[in-house]
Every structure is written in structure tokens, then in C-alpha cells.
Amino acid sequence: MKIAVCVKQVPDATVHKRIDPATKRLDRSGEATLNPTDLNAVEEALRIKEAQGGEVVLVSLGPAKATDSLRKALAMGADRAVLVSDDAAAGSDLLGTCRVLAAALEREAADLVLFGQASSDGDGAVLWAAVADRLRQPMISQVASLTVDAGSITGKRQTEHGYDVISAPLPAVIGVSDAINEPRYPSLKGIMGAKSKPQESLSLADLGVEPGAAGEAGSETTVLELGSPPSRGDQIKIEDDGSAAQKILDLVLERRLL
Amino acid sequence: MRVLVFLEHHEGQLEKGGLGVLAKAATFGNAAGVVLGPGASDLAARAGAFGAVKAYACDDDALAVPLPQPRVDALAALVEKTGADAVLFAASVLAADVAAGLAARLDAGLNWDLTDLALVDGELIGKRPALGDTVLVDVGWKGSPRIGLVRSGAFDPVETGGSAEVESFDFAAENFSALATLIEQTQEESSGPSIEDAEIIVAGGRGLGSPEAFSLLEELAAALGGAVAATRAVVDAGWYPYSTQVGQTGKNVSPKLYIACGISGAIQHKVGMQGSGTIIAINKDPNAPIFDFCDISVVGDLHQIVPKLTELVRSNRA
Ligand SMILES: Cc1cc2nc3c(=O)[nH]c(=O)nc-3n(C[C@H](O)[C@H](O)[C@H](O)COP(=O)(O)OP(=O)(O)OC[C@H]3O[C@@H](n4cnc5c(N)ncnc54)[C@H](O)[C@@H]3O)c2cc1C
Ligand SMILES: Nc1ncnc2c1ncn2[C@@H]1O[C@H](COP(=O)(O)O)[C@@H](O)[C@H]1O
């Protein structure tokens, strides 16, 4: 079974994320990391591979330095990585991104494509549905538990009214929930071995994607103006030194919340 | 601006979220509702009372179960038939997938998480809080149709009492759209201990570390006279009942006090509790997003702080 996992490099949680007012794009210059919920998708792929054999391929669209983040998933156990990196793809919205990823995934022809729950910078939680439509494959999103048997896949997921169990034949596209598993930590051996695993870098031309189909030119949405959301007012900050509980109680009593 | 609004329904009722978006779209002039699935025509007629001048209905059996891909086929056909300028959705598990699939199908732009919409010089502009709600972005669309996914609870339905002309339509399903099948659907009991009426809520997330640790929150809630709530991550993991989930897919709560313990503060959780009077967050990670929108931020280990707080509350009340 060949499993492709779509993963993205995002700004590290410690970085104050900002949109560059000049380009109206996310400032990606700071410390970066692999999108946290994508680790759940990588973990799920590894478990399927461990049970059934096969290959786990990472597929990503991002700047050249995203290779650093991909290495973490290779250290967890993924076999190889494909990074699509091209100046003409920078600033892609959902549409541009789904065109590029669909092209890269078509080239891999995986049996199963996994996505993480949401990217921490875009927070759309929508990309799988767009990619599945391009690939003309069945799709199940928000999957909190997954079973794979010969030729088909079954996922359980939460909705506003309860739980759905949905089944689809392979090849299929799955978006996982962050509740699906607990991602493993890379072992020392994994970390050492990651450096020598194949990491391929592709341009749009390599994939046969027209430059106008991605990046700003290939995007159908625009960012017009940046502003500040209304603030909730002053915040009280407490660092626990053993007295936090008392401080919380004092504040609760002072505000007559009890 | 000819706007189509996707109206989701459940157990014979149109959902509030879609009707809220319809109320907003009606202020732009020409809003039509779209209802899909068996029984669609009757439901579509009801959209008139909420601001739709027209309602499109398709009761094809391919739309009997709430799966997204056949809905993409149906909406793509309807957009072609009507030449709609915009298709708007209220966020839900189903709607997000339909909206994104439709964007890919029609090479159209999708803006999500919209908290407001306006028509400025005839052009549709959306407001979108981004990057964990730290910036507010005005977003637009380059072409047609403009596809928008509206954040839960952004707009309330408005009863206008009008009536809508209902028009049925058909579509041809793509082969791949019917490949995913619903094999089981469980309706979860949404009653149980009521978190919606509680004045004080103690909520727990994955930071609790284990289902057993919820007893810490139950003790604190009992001492405070409040109720216990949970995030989707722990509900999905089976640590706590579905009926206590707060957020986009769960309940909307606005107690006077919300104490979030071991919760990161994802937007999908935030939308269900941001109306709370005072929000106290206890989290060991000083970079947790919840610290961006709480009133009292407590950086520390909940396993240390919560039991102490329970003791202090008990002795204060004794
Ligand atoms: C379509 C969709 C719908 C969704 N609907 C909902 C919804 O209705 N409700 C909802 O809640 N989520 C929903 N989610 C999921 C949401 O995005 C988050 O994944 C989820 O809220 C995270 O739950 P959490 O905060 O418990 O877990 P995590 O994000 O894992 O956060 C756990 C937190 O605990 C902290 N922590 C760990 N140990 C300790 C300790 N000892 N003491 C103190 N703090 C500690 C960590 O620092 C971390 O910040 C939805 C997602 C999608 C895509
Ligand atoms: N640039 C990208 N390259 C590869 N995968 C991506 C990219 N952006 C998003 N994804 C995947 O799509 C999921 C949902 O992203 P989003 O819709 O942006 O929230 C992520 O968890 C990733 O699995």
C-alpha cells in the first residue's frame, strides 16, 4: 500500500505570526516547524504501513527551507519526501494549492492520501475536499478512527449531530482529526537515518503545472486590508509559583463570580 | 449580486446557521436558498420566511445522506443554471467539504471563517479574523462565483415572514461522487447534564492527560456549583461525553465564568465559548493560543492548580 501524506511547514508556535503589510502574505521568515496536526496524519500512515507493508511518501508545497521540517516526519519513519517549491507558487490560495498538490499526488498515484486536521497558519480545514475533487476520488474528512482492509477504507467521524461511519474504496483521500492517535517521537536511529532518505524537490514545470495556475496569479481570492480585531480588554497574567490557586480564587471573589 | 445560500437541514428542520447567512445575504438584494435531499421542496418553501425570494430544491436520492461529494455535483449544476455570483455556506463539517469541493470544481475562490460580509460598490467583501484571530483581514474574490464559508454563529436568522418561489432542479452525478457511502449514523444524546444553562463551566481538554483526570474538574465544578465541559479532542478520544462538547461542532455556551483547563484554544473551540463573561485559562504552555483571548491567563500545571483551587473554594464556601 502506497500512502501519501500531505504535510506543511508552518511558523513555529513561539513565533508571533504576522501578515507582511507590503505583500499581504504571511511572514514566513521566522523559526518554522511541521504543522502539528500533520503529525497525526504521518503517524496514522506509519501505523497502516506497519500493519500492511508499503511506502509512506510526504508531499508538500512550500519554500525550499521546508525540507528542514519534512526531515522530522522522515525521522518518525516516512520513507521519502516530495517538496514542490517554486517562486511562482508563493502566495497560493486554496485553489492554487489544490492544483499543485493534486498534480504532485497524481504523479505519485498513491492508494491512500492523508491530510492533517488543519494548518496552524491557514486554519481552513478544507484542502482535502478540494484535492479530492481534482483527483476525482472519494473523500472522508475529520476522521477520528480509521480501518483499512483490502481495497477499502472506513472512517468514523464526529458531526454536529453525532457520529458517522463512512466507507470508500481505494484510492481515497482522508482528512484526519487530531484525536485519531498520539504521534510518536522520532527515535535517535530515526533522526540519524532521516538525513539519507530521498528528498526530491520539484518545480511547477516538473509537474506540468502552468505558472499562472498557482501563486498569486492562480489564486481567486484576494487580501484587501489588514486590521486589528477588537480586544477583550486588559488581561491578568499569573505564572504559577504555588500561589496561582489562591490568586484565581481572589479574582473570582473580587469579581463576584461566585 | 445574485447569491445562493446553502441551507442545511436536520430531522425536517432548516438549520439556524444557514438561515443566519440567508438573513445577511438578503440584505444584498437577491438571495436564494438551496435545499438538497429528499423532502427538499417542502423545506425550501420555508426559506421564504427567512428572507429568500427564491429557493432551489433537489430531492435526488443521491443526496439522501449527508455526504459532500454529490452536493458538489448538484451545486455546480445549479451555479451553471443560475449564473449565481456567490454561493455562501454556514460552517459545518458537511458544508466545509462541499464549499471546498465546489471551489475546486468551478475554479472559484473560497474564503473561509468569515465573520461578516458587506457589499461595497457592488463588490462582495468579507471580514476574516486570521492567525488565531490576531488580525482582521478584509478579503475579496477575483471572479465568479464567490464562495464563502461563514464562521459558526456569525449571523442570526431573521424571520421576515415572506414567501419563496420554489424551483426544482436536476443534476448529473459524477461517478466518483457516489463511491463514499454512509454505513452507520449514530445520533448522540445531546441532553444529559446541561452545560448550556450553567453559570459556571469548568472545561477540560487533552492537557488533562487521561479520562480519569476529569474527576479533578468534576470536584472543582461541584465546589463552584457549575458544570463540566470538554473539547472535541477529548470527546473523540472517548474521555468525556459528546453532550458536553463546546465548540463549532458542539454546544455554544456563555456562562459568567469559564475555566479552561488544558485546552489549547483552537478557533473551533473558541467559537463555542467566546461569549463567556470571564474566561480563565490554565495551560502549561505560555504560547497556547487560548492566552490570546482569555481574561485571566494562568501558566502552570493544571494537576497542581485545580485540586488546590477546589480545596480553597470548599473552605471559602464552608
Ligand atoms: C471542522 C472542525 C470542527 C471542530 N469542532 C470542534 C468543537 O466543536 N470543539 C472543540 O473543542 N474542538 C473542535 N475542533 C478541534 C479543534 O480544532 C482542536 O483540535 C481541539 O479543540 C483541541 O482540543 P484540546 O485543546 O483539548 O487539545 P490540544 O490542542 O492538544 O491542547 C491541549 C493543551 O493542554 C495543554 N496542557 C498539556 N498538559 C497540561 C498540564 N499538565 N497542565 C496545563 N495544561 C496542559 C497543552 O499545552 C495544550 O495547549 C474542530 C476541528 C475541526 C477541523
Ligand atoms: N502547502 C501544503 N502542502 C502540503 N499539504 C498541505 C499544505 N497546506 C495544507 N496542507 C494539508 O492540508 C491540511 C489542511 O490544511 P488547511 O486546509 O490549510 O487547514 C493540512 O493539515 C495539511 O495536511
Side-chain angles (χ1 to χ4, degrees), chain A residues 13-14 17-19 26 94-95 98-99 117 121-126 128-130 132-134 136-139 141-142 144 154 157-169 177-179 216-217 219-229 232 234-240 242 244-246 248-249 251-253 255-258, chain B residues 10 15 67-69 92-93 96-97 100-101 103-105 107-112 125 128 131 133-143 174 176 179-188 200 206 224 232-233 235-236 242 245 249 256 267-268 274 276-280 287 291 293-299 305 308-309 312-313 316-317:
Chain A
T14 57
K17 292 200 273 290
R18 63 183 276 274
I19 296 179
L26 179 65
L94 171 82
L95 197 61
C98 90
R99 286 180 181 136
Q117 173 172 286
D121 51 358
D123 219 346
V126 285
W128 48 78
D133 198 77
R134 290 269 152 187
R136 303 180 62 81
Q137 287 180 9
M139 180 266 310
S141 65
Q142 316 291 339
T154 303
R157 61 101 176 258
Q158 195 192 85
T159 71
E160 288 77 9
H161 310 291
Y163 283 86
D164 287 349
V165 180
I166 300 165
S167 197
S177 146
D178 64 352
E216 231 143 81
S219 294
E220 283 290 321
T221 55
T222 52
V223 172
L224 305 165
E225 199 91 44
L226 304 176
S228 303
R232 260 189 87 89
D234 287 340
Q235 193 186 62
I236 296 176
K237 294 189 163 72
I238 300 171
E239 297 250 2
D240 188 28
Q246 185 65 54
I248 295 171
L249 180 66
L251 286 164
V252 165
L253 292 173
R255 296 182 181 203
R256 301 182 180 283
L257 295 169
L258 266 187
Chain B
H10 182 64
E15 301 259 39
L67 292 180
Q69 290 172 303
S92 76
V93 169
D97 287 345
R105 183 75 61 87
D107 286 308
L110 170 65
N111 281 306
W112 56 84
I125 307 290
R128 191 203 149 198
L131 304 180
D133 291 0
T134 56
V135 297
L136 189 61
V137 184
D138 280 0
V139 292
W141 290 261
K142 284 190 198 162
E174 299 283 345
F176 70 92
L179 293 176
T181 53
L182 183 68
I183 56 177
E184 192 187 322
Q185 195 169 30
T186 45
Q187 300 282 326
E188 290 285 332
I200 297 178
R206 199 147 45 186
L224 292 167
R232 189 183 77 169
V235 169
D236 264 355
Y242 178 83
Q245 181 178 315
T249 341
K256 63 179 187 187
I267 299 301
Q268 296 87 354
Q274 62 188 349
S276 305
T278 297
I279 299 171
I280 302 179
N287 295 309
F291 290 142
F293 62 92
C294 66
D295 303 293
I296 301 174
S297 77
V298 184
V299 179
I305 298 167
K308 264 191 219 161
L309 183 56
L312 290 170
V313 172
N316 180 271
R317 299 208 120 183

Side-chain angles (χ1 to χ4, degrees), chain B residues 80-247:
Chain B
E80 194 185 337
K81 175 186 157 98
T82 60
D85 302 302
V87 190
L88 301 177
F89 300 79
S92 76
V93 169
L94 177 66
D97 287 345
V98 179
L102 189 64
R105 183 75 61 87
L106 299 177
D107 286 308
L110 170 65
N111 281 306
W112 56 84
D113 229 0
L114 303 172
T115 54
D116 203 1
L117 282 160
L119 212 51
V120 181
D121 300 329
E123 195 39 70
L124 191 65
I125 307 290
K127 288 262 181 226
R128 191 203 149 198
L131 304 180
D133 291 0
T134 56
V135 297
L136 189 61
V137 184
D138 280 0
V139 292
W141 290 261
K142 284 190 198 162
S144 229
R146 301 152 183 83
I147 304 183
L149 195 52
V150 173
R151 185 181 280 198
S152 315
F155 305 121
D156 289 323
V158 178
E159 277 222 58
T160 53
S163 67
E165 178 204 338
V166 177
E167 184 176 328
S168 297
F169 73 100
D170 294 318
F171 70 100
E174 299 283 345
N175 283 334
F176 70 92
S177 295
L179 293 176
T181 53
L182 183 68
I183 56 177
E184 192 187 322
Q185 195 169 30
T186 45
Q187 300 282 326
E188 290 285 332
E189 190 55 60
S190 56
S191 54
S194 170
I195 55 166
E196 277 151 310
D197 303 328
E199 294 228 303
I200 297 178
I201 289 180
V202 182
R206 199 147 45 186
L208 286 170
S210 72
E212 292 72 37
F214 263 97
S215 64
L216 298 178
L217 304 194
E218 283 164 355
E219 283 164 28
L220 177 58
L224 292 167
V228 176
T231 64
R232 189 183 77 169
V234 293
V235 169
D236 264 355
W239 294 7
Y240 222 59
Y242 178 83
S243 61
T244 64
Q245 181 178 315
V246 167

